[in-house]
Amino acid sequence: MIGTFVNVGTVVAGSLIGLLLHARLSERVTKIAFQAIGLFTLMLGLQMALQVQNVLVMIFALIIGSVSGELLDVEAGFNKAGDQVKRIFKSSHDRFTEGIVTAFLLFCMGSLTILGAIQEGTGHAPTLLLTKSIMDGFASIALSSTLGIGVLFSAIPLLVYQGGLTLFAGLLENVLDEAFIQEVVACGGILLMGLGFNLLEIKRIKVANMLPSLLVVVLLLVLTGFFQGA
């Protein structure tokens, strides 16, 4: 998991730089940098979402996954976990939990996360994850200068999630194909678009509650392939 370890390192380094710069940057500068991240996130999400080939699978995955996430209140679980970390480290930053959740979603919902984890998990050089590491490093500078130290702690769930995907991809090396990956990436793109709206403060969307959609789209694709092959 070399790519994931490097990625975690750049997020930590970028977050520390952002925290150091925070005191030297005016509110106008941090705000415009935050908006730039929001626009980029929206564009990246749209680009990913347009890769969808099976629209019906996407719609059902989003609806079933979002309703399930809302009933389970995944976002509340994220917030509780963030608040617990905040208490452990006795942070007084009022946007600590928001920083963890926002950074985690941004760093983990992109196509490079999924494709990069599959690339390294199947025994190839971690080229995509190393590229992602550079991007996340710069993004963490902008995020931490606005949202504070919580962004730094997003490196922990990033390690667990991206590392887990890498190991999982290694186990399913003979099962994964390009069409399958493309649909999962497209679903992740929809979630990234929701995060972009949040960052730009256009509309508050519970993106965390939509995360089960990624699992549902995988299950639907497996079922679809099974019935087509029957």
Side-chain angles (χ1 to χ4, degrees), residues 22-222:
H22 174 69
R24 296 176 173 83
L25 297 176
S26 66
E27 184 179 350
R28 289 192 307 128
V29 173
T30 55
K31 185 176 181 179
I32 195 68
F34 202 60
Q35 289 174 339
I37 292 293
L39 287 172
F40 173 77
T41 302
L42 198 59
M43 181 277 297
L44 181 61
L46 178 60
Q47 184 183 51
M48 291 166 55
L50 290 176
Q51 297 181 35
V52 66
Q53 298 296 318
N54 196 324
V55 177
L56 284 178
V57 168
M58 171 73 79
I59 292 173
F60 280 112
L62 286 170
I63 294 174
I64 296 171
S66 298
V67 171
S68 300
E70 183 68 24
L71 292 175
L72 294 171
D73 208 350
V74 175
E75 187 173 85
F78 270 55
N79 290 334
K80 287 180 181 178
D83 290 340
Q84 183 63 31
V85 175
K86 180 179 179 179
R87 284 193 294 271
I88 291 174
F89 289 92
K90 298 178 180 179
S91 173
S92 59
H93 200 286
D94 58 351
R95 303 185 75 179
F96 183 93
T97 301
E98 182 185 355
I100 291 181
V101 176
T102 300
F104 168 71
L105 291 173
L106 179 61
F107 298 152
C108 294
M109 289 302 103
S111 58
L112 286 179
T113 301
I114 299 171
L115 297 176
I118 291 172
Q119 182 187 57
E120 185 169 30
T122 52
H124 299 87
T127 308
L128 293 177
L129 287 184
L130 293 179
T131 301
K132 176 179 180 291
S133 299
I134 298 172
M135 295 170 60
D136 287 352
F138 282 108
S140 63
I141 294 174
L143 286 175
S144 61
S145 65
T146 305
L147 298 178
I149 196 171
V151 178
L152 173 65
F153 287 93
S154 69
I156 298 173
L158 170 63
L159 174 62
V160 175
Y161 176 80
Q162 190 168 280
L165 275 181
T166 302
L167 296 176
F168 188 65
L171 295 174
L172 298 180
E173 181 177 357
N174 297 323
V175 178
L176 300 173
D177 59 29
E178 186 175 347
F180 187 94
I181 296 168
Q182 195 173 37
E183 296 300 316
V184 177
V185 167
C187 187
I190 296 290
L191 303 189
L192 263 188
M193 288 177 66
L195 181 61
F197 283 116
N198 288 346
L199 292 173
L200 293 170
E201 299 180 351
I202 296 173
K203 174 71 176 179
R204 173 63 182 164
I205 298 174
K206 295 182 177 180
V207 179
N209 282 353
M210 296 181 176
L211 286 176
S213 300
L214 293 172
L215 177 60
V216 175
V217 76
V218 171
L219 294 175
L220 291 178
L221 287 170
V222 171

